[in-house]
Amino acid sequence: MVPKNVDDPKPCREQDLGKFEVIHRDGIAKLGRLHTAHGPLHTPALLPVINPNIRTIEPRELWDNWGIEGLITNSYIIWKHEKLSVPAQKLGVHKLLDFPGVIVCDSGTFQSYIYGDVEVGVEEIIEFQKSIGVDVATMLDVFGRPDMTRQQMMEAVETTIERAEPSINAAEGMMLNGPIQGGLEWDLRQRSAQQMSKYDFAIHPIGGIVPIMEQHRYLELTKIMLASIPHLPASRPVHLFGCGHPMLFPMAVALGADLFDSAAYALFAKDDRLLLPWGTVKLENLEYWPLLTPSLHGWTPSQVRDLGKEERTALLARFNMDVTVAELNRCRQAVKDGTIWELTEMRSHQHPALREAYQWLITAPSENFGFHNDDGLVLSESDASREHGSEYGIWEGAWEWVIDSTSQQRDGGVSWLGPESHERPWVEVARRLLHSRWRTSTQSEEVLILHGRSGPWRDRIGNIVCRIKAKMPDLEVLIQTPFGLLPWSLEDVNPFAHVEGPSWLHRRRPDLRWCANELSRLGLSGKKIILFDMATADMKETLKEALPSLTLDADTDELVVFELEREQAISKLSLFANIHAEVCRNALTGCQFIHSRTRRVKNILLQDGRHIASPRLTDGGLSLTEVGAKWAHNLRTAPVPAGFECQRIEENVSQGPPWVVIEDDAVPFIRDGRNVFHGFITAVDAWLRPGASCLIVNSKGELIAHGISKAAPKEMAELKKGIAVRTRDGIKV
Ligand code: GUN
């Protein structure tokens, strides 16, 4: 049995009311916490819709049995019915509904969309919500229907923006929803997000999407999210108004949605339909349960069909709630595990419209992979803007926002589920780091490409590579991985080194055009390619065919081993500390290495014995030490950053680890080794990203500490609570 959620929640600290903090992230998908007077609301969260007149499941039962921390009800319905409004004003909405957690209230906009107009005023509905004690109220926005003309849509957006200020004033500090409208007009969605952000809303719901979801127009739903969310403050959760089908959760979470509301669990139950993570089924067609949840234990489909209407609806609503909560939990776990894009990719196969949306998402907005026409041909930039018109610029920026939010380093392997797996944001980030920051040190006109086996390559062929390098020190050795060519010096770096896929994926013979393209991205254009198949039974024979003039020594040369280790240190410092390879090469002249018992490099020491960094076994990354942070800080020539601009990492190559400038008041705490919290940061470098090693400095640029960033520049500017940098070492004066 699941322990019941019986205790009533504790109100947040006064100073935290309305603040949203990110506890864990996977790109823009996040596990967050919204602080309210009725306890924390952990996101992504499902707010079940409660119609105060018809309670399919009692709110208290939602709290007790499903751990539901927040629900959404409708203030317009309460306001309209005296039998509800009188007790609500007397006892408060929490007592009316018998729910101890967070109560969000909608405003009547949806009723005006369904029935035409509502007779309540803009301020009136806010004041009413305040009078019944809701935690988060909603202003009266104008629902932008997809069939509106552009002119009508513009008016809907502008009227909603005009109502923002009087609504905020009437709220007098109560947390308020500021909905984003704009229908399918992408620039209006963008404008709506930009303008509504200027007011002090607690949450931004994306509105006007119910008819779009009802018609399974998921590609358009995706575009609405990408046109709006990048322009909203990172410090406020995003709610998808009316989105409660579990099938949509993974992609919506991956694109930054934090809150969902569901009437679907009750509406579908009333209609004898079951919600599933892969779609919807009718009870009448079922001989077997597609999923067995606690609510269905002891029942067969035919027994449930024989029940009376009310009892059947109650049972199916509980099943729908089980499935919805479970899928949201699956998304939460995926964010924790760093696999939300993997889950999104998997779930996209459940419905043709989701497939269409996902395929568009991973190809069209990404400049790197270009726009496609209907035949799947990649278009040039000018052809793309001709074919896609004004959409082109919007999506390119939106995809960069996804990439910028993605952590640069992480543990664990990657499941290869098909060619689309190459387009996952993390894979793209890793490729960008490699292609922009890695530099060859070799001059040879030839490169050797190892192929045919999955990693760990060091164990499989490290000894032979070492003996080849003894004879041909100037030969660049690379490995064919499913995600691209990888220099030998980075052979254990994730995600390249840990791809779980079918064996043919690792065994396939390199395509020479693909190799040439990869080589040019690595700055090795025009080199002659020599292939070496690691999967052959007789490696010596294969090597003779690949490099006929080469005779290998029987033993490895310690000097060559040292050179390979040094090259590895240089490559990793370039990649992960953003220091120019030549600078590293000079600094590591005569360096020393401390090895583990398994002969792996544990510590990297400069010639004078200073320990600057340690390679990490878990992800192939590199951890700077306190001494290393000081060393990297001294190399810096760029000025102290002055704002929160975000630029592509390709634009700031070799500038060193990014700096985070903290308020001078916070300096003593950070020197002491405490983490840096949001709200104490005054500027960051434009190449700061989550997961990156960073240097923490004061306003004069003096080094205070170093650590691992948890956010990108936009989030550093906007978030007000939570850890911004996990400090590794404070630097004492
Ligand atoms: N419920 C579903 N869609 C909407 C919307 O666009 N605005 C409001 N206020 N509520 C909604």
Side-chain angles (χ1 to χ4, degrees):
M1 280 298 281
V2 182
K4 292 197 170 209
N5 190 15
V6 282
D7 292 336
D8 279 3
K10 291 196 180 56
C12 67
R13 298 184 310 172
E14 213 178 312
Q15 66 268 35
D16 287 342
L17 186 69
K19 284 192 185 154
F20 180 58
E21 83 185 281
V22 177
I23 300 161
H24 208 92
R25 65 183 303 158
D26 180 4
I28 4 162
K30 48 211 170 295
L31 298 182
R33 190 187 290 134
L34 181 68
H35 296 265
T36 85
H38 287 86
L41 181 60
H42 289 94
T43 66
L46 172 80
L47 307 170
V49 175
I50 299 295
N51 181 334
N53 284 318
I54 320 156
R55 301 178 181 187
T56 315
I57 305 179
E58 276 300 314
R60 176 60 73 169
E61 195 186 338
L62 290 170
W63 172 268
D64 285 345
N65 286 356
W66 283 276
I68 295 290
E69 290 178 323
L71 56 76
I72 183 163
T73 187
N74 198 297
S75 61
Y76 181 68
I77 296 177
I78 303 177
W79 176 82
K80 229 178 148 193
H81 298 93
E82 224 175 84
K83 74 171 197 310
L84 295 170
S85 67
V86 171
Q89 286 191 303
K90 196 159 153 226
L91 307 169
V93 69
H94 291 82
K95 282 256 157 54
L96 178 81
L97 298 181
D98 185 22
F99 186 70
V102 181
I103 297 189
V104 181
C105 242
D106 204 349
S107 55
T109 297
F110 196 66
Q111 281 66 25
S112 86
Y113 157 66
I114 301 279
Y115 306 114
D117 209 4
V118 289
E119 61 266 35
V120 73
V122 171
E123 279 112 334
E124 190 182 5
I125 196 66
I126 299 284
E127 279 152 13
F128 178 71
Q129 293 176 79
K130 209 152 149 265
S131 74
I132 63 173
V134 309
D135 294 292
V136 185
T138 302
M139 63 168 278
L140 198 63
D141 50 321
V142 181
F143 195 102
R145 298 188 322 270
D147 63 335
M148 280 177 169
T149 62
R150 182 168 167 87
Q151 183 59 32
Q152 287 169 323
M153 195 62 81
M154 225 148 33
E155 283 161 20
V157 167
E158 294 309 320
T159 307
T160 302
I161 295 168
E162 278 160 26
R163 291 177 180 178
E165 191 167 322
S167 302
I168 291 275
N169 291 342
E172 293 179 315
M174 172 177 59
M175 290 163 72
L176 202 57
N177 271 325
I180 306 306
Q181 297 290 347
L184 301 173
E185 306 282 347
W186 318 127
D187 57 330
L188 296 184
R189 283 279 176 189
Q190 194 170 326
R191 174 172 162 76
S192 177
Q194 284 164 343
Q195 295 302 312
M196 295 295 278
S197 301
K198 294 183 178 164
Y199 300 93
D200 192 14
F201 289 108
I203 299 173
H204 287 292
I206 309 283
I209 57 176
V210 170
I212 288 159
M213 290 184 296
E214 280 171 352
Q215 294 162 26
H216 304 294
R217 292 159 70 176
Y218 302 141
L219 172 59
E220 281 154 327
L221 177 66
T222 305
K223 289 184 175 184
I224 289 171
M225 292 182 73
L226 271 192
S228 321
I229 303 178
H231 305 283
L232 293 171
S235 53
R236 301 176 191 170
V238 174
H239 177 167
L240 286 195
F241 249 155
C243 177
H245 199 302
M247 186 170 74
L248 297 175
F249 290 169
M251 184 140 82
V253 169
L255 288 178
D258 304 292
L259 296 168
F260 301 90
D261 65 274
S262 177
Y265 74 99
L267 296 178
F268 280 64
K270 214 174 287 168
D271 215 13
D272 285 334
R273 283 191 292 167
L274 285 81
L275 294 178
L276 297 167
W278 54 88
T280 310
V281 289
K282 288 199 168 131
L283 177 64
E284 69 188 41
N285 298 330
L286 286 186
E287 191 151 348
Y288 312 98
W289 295 126
L291 265 180
L292 199 52
T293 75
S295 302
L296 293 181
H297 284 172
W299 295 94
T300 65
S302 78
Q303 284 170 330
V304 174
R305 270 194 293 272
D306 289 343
L307 289 173
K309 174 81 184 157
E310 211 171 302
E311 210 183 336
R312 198 168 66 238
T313 302
L315 195 84
L316 293 183
R318 282 167 176 75
F319 169 83
N320 287 342
M321 187 54 69
D322 287 339
V323 170
T324 310
V325 168
E327 184 64 0
L328 200 62
N329 281 341
R330 210 166 280 131
C331 292
R332 288 170 165 175
Q333 188 66 44
V335 175
K336 190 94 204 290
D337 297 342
T339 56
I340 191 67
W341 281 94
E342 203 171 300
L343 182 64
T344 304
E345 189 178 330
M346 274 155 54
R347 287 286 190 254
S348 76
H349 289 267
Q350 311 290 357
H351 192 288
L354 262 185
R355 196 88 270 278
E356 183 187 22
Y358 183 75
Q359 285 187 323
W360 176 85
L361 188 61
I362 58 156
T363 52
S366 147
E367 188 203 49
N368 244 17
F369 292 89
F371 268 73
H372 297 247
N373 67 10
D374 289 344
D375 300 327
L377 291 173
V378 177
L379 300 173
S380 71
E381 200 164 318
S382 56
D383 287 344
S385 56
R386 217 177 15 255
E387 221 166 277
H388 295 265
S390 65
E391 289 198 8
Y392 181 69
I394 288 188
W395 311 132
E396 189 206 339
W399 191 246
E400 285 309 308
W401 166 72
V402 174
I403 295 291
D404 290 342
S405 315
T406 302
S407 187
Q408 290 187 341
Q409 282 174 263
R410 52 166 96 177
D411 298 350
V414 178
S415 297
W416 188 92
L417 302 174
E420 287 170 3
S421 302
H422 298 221
E423 272 40 276
R424 283 193 205 137
W426 180 38
V427 176
E428 171 65 5
V429 165
R431 269 198 302 247
R432 286 192 190 189
L433 277 182
L434 173 65
H435 294 152
S436 62
R437 292 185 178 177
W438 180 81
R439 299 270 183 286
T440 181
S441 62
T442 57
Q443 306 289 327
S444 166
E445 285 312 306
E446 296 169 333
V447 293
L448 180 68
I449 297 180
L450 313 176
H451 63 95
R453 298 289 297 266
S454 60
W457 294 292
R458 183 191 142 102
D459 298 346
R460 299 206 192 290
I461 198 172
N463 183 286
I464 292 184
V465 169
C466 190
R467 288 188 287 150
I468 295 173
K469 289 291 267 185
K471 293 294 170 77
M472 304 177 79
D474 208 29
L475 180 71
E476 193 64 67
V477 181
L478 301 122
I479 308 158
Q480 174 181 260
T481 81
F483 294 146
L485 287 184
L486 184 69
W488 177 259
S489 55
L490 295 168
E491 51 81 31
D492 61 344
V493 167
N494 276 0
F496 305 96
H498 294 111
V499 185
E500 281 173 41
S503 46
W504 62 258
L505 183 70
H506 299 286
R507 271 207 232 112
R508 65 188 166 168
R509 214 178 148 72
D511 173 272
L512 288 181
R513 269 179 49 197
W514 177 86
C515 287
N517 188 30
E518 283 288 302
L519 288 175
S520 86
R521 287 168 168 228
L522 287 163
L524 296 166
S525 296
K527 302 272 182 188
K528 182 176 169 232
I529 296 168
I530 305 167
L531 297 177
F532 179 83
D533 187 350
M534 295 181 274
T536 48
D538 188 347
M539 285 234 204
K540 271 199 196 133
E541 199 48 44
T542 317
L543 192 63
K544 210 178 275 168
E545 279 165 31
L547 297 164
S549 59
L550 183 75
T551 31
L552 295 185
D553 292 340
D555 296 320
T556 52
D557 178 337
E558 278 307 308
L559 254 178
V560 180
V561 172
F562 172 81
E563 268 315 311
L564 285 172
E565 288 174 346
R566 183 166 161 265
E567 214 39 59
Q568 184 185 65
I570 293 165
S571 288
K572 290 192 176 181
L573 281 167
S574 314
L575 221 64
F576 301 118
N578 196 25
I579 299 171
H580 197 287
E582 273 317 304
V583 175
C584 299
R585 200 158 280 124
N586 287 336
L588 294 185
T589 310
C591 65
Q592 305 163 48
F593 299 111
I594 309 272
H595 295 92
S596 68
R597 264 187 295 150
T598 53
R599 281 289 307 161
R600 298 204 71 116
V601 173
K602 216 167 70 174
N603 298 334
I604 302 168
L605 282 62
L606 297 181
Q607 191 173 25
D608 58 12
R610 281 182 295 158
H611 171 199
I612 56 165
S614 294
R616 275 197 305 268
L617 291 183
T618 46
D619 62 354
L622 190 83
S623 299
L624 282 180
T625 62
E626 183 178 331
V627 173
K630 286 181 186 160
W631 170 73
H633 181 256
N634 277 336
L635 293 171
R636 167 101 168 194
T637 52
V640 181
F644 293 94
E645 196 194 344
C646 183
Q647 292 171 352
R648 289 187 163 204
I649 46 170
E650 295 92 318
E651 287 175 43
N652 294 283
V653 171
S654 306
Q655 304 255 29
W659 282 13
V660 172
V661 188
I662 55 167
E663 277 183 5
D664 289 339
D665 287 355
V667 165
F669 301 98
I670 310 303
R671 276 202 196 282
D672 217 28
R674 305 258 198 98
N675 293 325
V676 180
F677 282 88
H678 287 293
F680 295 91
I681 296 169
T682 57
V684 300
D685 272 324
W687 61 100
L688 182 79
R689 297 291 185 276
S693 272
C694 62
L695 305 183
I696 303 159
V697 301
N698 64 12
S699 58
K700 290 194 216 126
E702 292 160 346
L703 186 65
I704 306 301
H706 73 112
I708 303 293
S709 168
K710 298 268 139 202
K714 181 178 188 296
E715 297 149 339
M716 289 289 186
E718 293 169 350
L719 286 168
K720 297 185 180 70
K721 195 168 163 57
I723 297 174
V725 182
R726 195 167 282 288
T727 301
R728 278 179 62 88
D729 297 292
I731 309 231
K732 309 278 186 303
V733 269

